Amino acid sequence: MAVWMDGFDFPPELCSKPLALIGISGIDVTKNASDREVWESLSNNRAPNRAHISFKLLEPQHVFPVMKPKRNTYDWYIPKGILKRNWIVKHLQELPAVNVLFYHLDWDDPNFAAKKLDCANRLQSIRGALKGRLTRLAVVLIQRTAPVAGEDPSAADKANALCTACELNPKCLFVLPLGDHLQGYILRLEKAFLELAQGYYHHAIRAIKSHRDQLNKTTQQYLMVRHLFKIGLLSELKQDSHNAHKSYAQAYSQLLDLRVADTNAMEVKTVAGLINYKICRILFSQSMPRDAIAQFRAHTEAFKNREGHKDLTFEHYGWLAKQYWVFGDLFDEAIKQGVQAVQTQHPGFYYQQAAQLAIQRKQACEQLCQNVTTYPEPDPLTGMDTLEFFGQRAWRPGSLSVEPIDPSRERDGILALQFREKNGVNHSSLIITLFGIAISQFKAFRCPRMRRQLLVQMAEEYFSAKDYGKALTVLTHMLWDYRSEKWWRLLSAILLRALGCAYLTAGLQDYVTLSLEALGTAAQLTSQDKTRVFQNLNRILKRQLPEPEPGLSPIDLPHAKELWTASCASVDPPYVTVDMSNVASCVESKAKFTESQSHVDKPVLIEVYVRSSCPHPIQFSKLLVTVTTPSMSTELPASIVGPSEGHPLHFETNSVKSYMCQFIPDHRDVGNEIQITSILLHMGADGDRNIILRYSCVSNESSGADDICPELQHFRPTPVKSVNFDSIRVQSTTLLVPRTSLLDLSIHHDAPALLGEWYKVQLKMLNNELCNASSLSVEVSLVPSTDDPHQELTTQLCKDVSGELVSLPMQLIIGDLNVGSSKEISFYVRALRLNTRNLLIKAKYLMLDPSLGINAEFWNVCEKLVTISVVKPFDVLTKFISLQLDPLTKAIALEPLIAMPHTECLSPWPIVIHNSSFELAQNVRLVDDSFVSQLEGLELQKGEMAAEATVLNITQPSDQPVHVGTYHLQWSRKGQEHMVTSSTVTLPTLRVENAPIYVEMVLPAHGWVRTPMAVSYRIHNHTNRLIDVDLSMEASDAFMFAGHKQLQLCLLPESVRTLDYNLYPLLSGLVALPRLCLSLVKEGQLELQPPALAELLQRCLPTHVYVMPQAKGKAATPQVPVPS
Amino acid sequence: MYRIWSSTNMAVCIAVIGKENSPKYVSCLNSDNELQFHYKVHTALDVVEEKLSLAGKSNNDVRELYLGLLHSTEEHKIFGYVTNTKIKFIVIVEATNTTLRDNEVRQMFRRLHAAYTDVVCNPFYIPGDHIVSKKFESVVKSIMSGNP
């Protein structure tokens, strides 16, 4: 960059952050290890959080810049320039604010007095070297021993003595103990140094301010600016950015007031640039980006029209470009420090503007410097790098604007500058660099389109720099972007430029591609342009030289012609393949399969449509379609549909033709997709160069995928009888399916199936094919159900009921099936759950293909789906009742009860019950010895109900509901009695309570009037305790009885006491029995209340009995039924 | 009170951009630097897209159609407006035209929107096509020249 920026580069000392300068002397880094350690901890790791100090190591005999004699009055002083070039460097790097003398001296040093004098001498010599300067002095004593808490009482005295000897303010004497905490001491020292430095700068500022008041505004305006600038810089050194900004801003406004002529324009602009830089930098660092931008705007606004000398306007643009560039850098730097930028305000805009100004600079240079051929002698620019002031001309340094100028020297100087500008500056690389930076900024701030425009401008610059290859590369990328957003106007402009580049580089491939696009309707070119492109394309085909594009530089043409001649003569490449998928070309093509599914025994048809929008008639030599299947890839020639006049591949402007091609698919590809990969259009006759237009059909997202709705294309008016090209939907794949089988597969079954039964499904196959089928097999599989994902676990299949279960899918081998014959086969399904099953039945067989001759067997498949719904055959509801036939909600342990299952038939088919049985739980027993099914052989229709009963006894009470057992039914459909299905129903659970006493009455089924009947009461004690009860028998009108009327009983533990009575019925009919009453002798002997005991008796004992009248005429036979 | 219509032009370029950012209509007052205006309109879409994506996030029920000033350069100011169907209108005004008020720019867009609605209502117009309409053209010309 130094190559071009000669006068405009900002001095590095200005761009760095000003740091207070502190001189360090008395340290010997090379010989003394501890000194080196001190120096390194001072100078290394100057992180931003440490004090803003720059340390400079000074030799013992260092010479400081000589002080100029102080001026007593400024009255007659005429300044020769605004800012001295060496002043900033002097204050930043040469003249320390504080000079620190390091000296090795311990308080307890035996030679303390001698060393004290030595130190004083050294300090004195530094003081001498700095004579007249305000530089602060400080002494640091490097001590080996760390200070102890109780401190040496003599230390204070010795320090005082040292200060006196050195004539040093005691505040400027420091002690640095070597040891573990060196870094901590150094940090504290730094703070103290910084304070001293700030004091120094404060004084320096005051000194400048004091003589600023004496200045004369008419003749010493330069000085006003200079002083304010100095105050600004010193304030920065003092870390006072507020006042620094204030002073710089004042300096800037003073500068704007200067009278500007051609002679000092450059100087004013240079200084303005420097001050503006300082202001913007401070504003950014104070997080005030808006103010920085406003300042920069004002700056460019103030100077953009001050072009200076009319022969040096390129200098103005160069300066302005540099302003924008540097501001962009500052902005970018601020963003890295955390300033927020937005899409509409970011450094990219400044770089872009810099690039535009660099272009203007280049143009100005081309205009002004075209005739400059010789460099003037003697060199008027000697001493340019050693000028005293910023921005002055080398041929008249320090001259005042009022002085008359020497016209010939002036002319030579301008000539020299022009010569340098023309020959020493690479404008294009500069512009491209700036565009490059701007592009990356615009990319970062989400401006893709702005970035594209800049890339196009960058390509333009490559073009003007004659780097046509790079220009073409960039432009072809941009073509893609503008094409995808259909900005045809912009695309056309880029296209023409790219075509020029392709011509100049003789890039055959690019040239052909661009030509095809230029001929399309999207490219908005004039008809002359299109005709020229078309003719050139034809020349390429005939291996002739294309005509140059208009507007190209004549210097490049001969070279381009040579390249083309070589290209035309060469055989390679024999043909040019152009990928048309990314080109908005003049010829478009679409292909589609006529069907989305193709049967393997029929030819697959492909329709191809070609539309030419080329403004001139165009003819192709071949049209091929590439088709890919998993097993092969072929190129198929397409033939025109319908009669055609002339050549079938000859296209007039805006004509559409359709073609057809077909091929026989391979049986191996059944089940796979066939894909049209591409359409190939060949241009050029045999022997000529061939161009192959390759239209890819793989991606369905063609270029027209954006806001053109295919649904609306039908509304587009098209000429009658012509194909509406836009509305053709591309169908680039087809699924190859097996031929439709002629096997007749019929399925018979009696739906619905009953839950749990073996359900018979019968298949009947009839061969309607023309050939015999062999290896016929049937596969039965379960279609996965969405309701029940694990249906296969509750579905069983078998070939035969007596055989084993077969896992899914089931294979049934049938064998050969001759033409016209049929076979039947059946299988069984068992559903263990109620939901519907879908079975897929797939018959597969081998058959000879008559069209392919002997040995060409192939598989045929016939599929059918069977839906089987499942219903329950019956519902079983079990009730529990007491021996008195009352419904029970709970059972009492050891008291018998009746279980009564009611079976209701739900099946639409009659079912036959073969057997029924109970399987009882552990604590449940049958009261009878065995159970005999009462339902055996019963036939139930739908809705009918069967019931049976058995008496059970539950031995154990329980807190939990007791599982009683299960009920088994063996049944079958009527007519299929050989296929018995066993179903199991779980009996309901019962709550079982405990009762201490159980009374059982043994009573005949009926009695006769006036015939005694024997009854007995059996009183069970279920507890393991003695129970004393009072028993009483209440009289009944219907009976006389013999037995205990009232009795006290002692019931032994777990025993039965039997009491016999003889009843003598007096009345007939259903008569009440005498009532047995029990009561406990001792209340509370059992946990049983009297009402509970009464309730127990009521539950267990019958209350009534039937008494028959005596038969008339029949003598009463004393027949006493004996209780069993 | 009479308002005197200034002789300066209201707008120098008016563009209609489709849903997928392809130009449907671009008209410039001065056809000499038409290409530059195409670039300006095209690059302004960056800002439009950004504003739309931000508006999409806030998920307001009713989005303000007028996007305001998109971008300003030393020569021009570019304003934007997006319909609910994502059709974008771009108006470029000369930067020297300082008398133009925000209200007037809104008014321009409203007229443009109405004219565009008329175009789409034409049964012979296929949505997505380039706009070719004498009536629309005359409305655009009158907006540019500032005649009501």
Side-chain angles (χ1 to χ4, degrees), chain A residues 932-969:
Chain A
V932 180
S933 169
Q934 292 137 346
L935 301 183
E936 188 179 330
L938 201 64
E939 182 188 320
L940 291 176
Q941 301 283 345
K942 183 170 185 178
E944 288 180 343
M945 191 183 280
E948 61 181 329
T950 187
V951 182
L952 306 175
N953 201 341
I954 302 174
T955 53
Q956 286 287 328
S958 167
D959 298 336
Q960 305 292 325
V962 171
H963 168 65
V964 179
T966 51
Y967 179 59
H968 298 272
L969 272 175

Side-chain angles (χ1 to χ4, degrees), chain A residues 159-180:
Chain A
N160 269 335
L162 187 66
C163 285
T164 321
C166 296
E167 299 168 40
L168 193 70
N169 184 340
K171 283 182 183 168
C172 298
L173 178 69
F174 303 94
V175 171
L176 176 63
L178 294 171
D180 300 336

Side-chain angles (χ1 to χ4, degrees), chain A residues 955-992:
Chain A
T955 53
Q956 286 287 328
S958 167
D959 298 336
Q960 305 292 325
V962 171
H963 168 65
V964 179
T966 51
Y967 179 59
H968 298 272
L969 272 175
Q970 286 177 308
W971 57 276
S972 68
R973 288 193 189 196
K974 194 185 175 191
Q976 295 179 0
E977 279 82 357
H978 60 288
M979 292 202 304
V980 177
T981 308
S982 181
S983 301
T984 300
V985 180
T986 306
L987 298 174
T989 55
L990 260 181
R991 210 148 49 81
V992 181

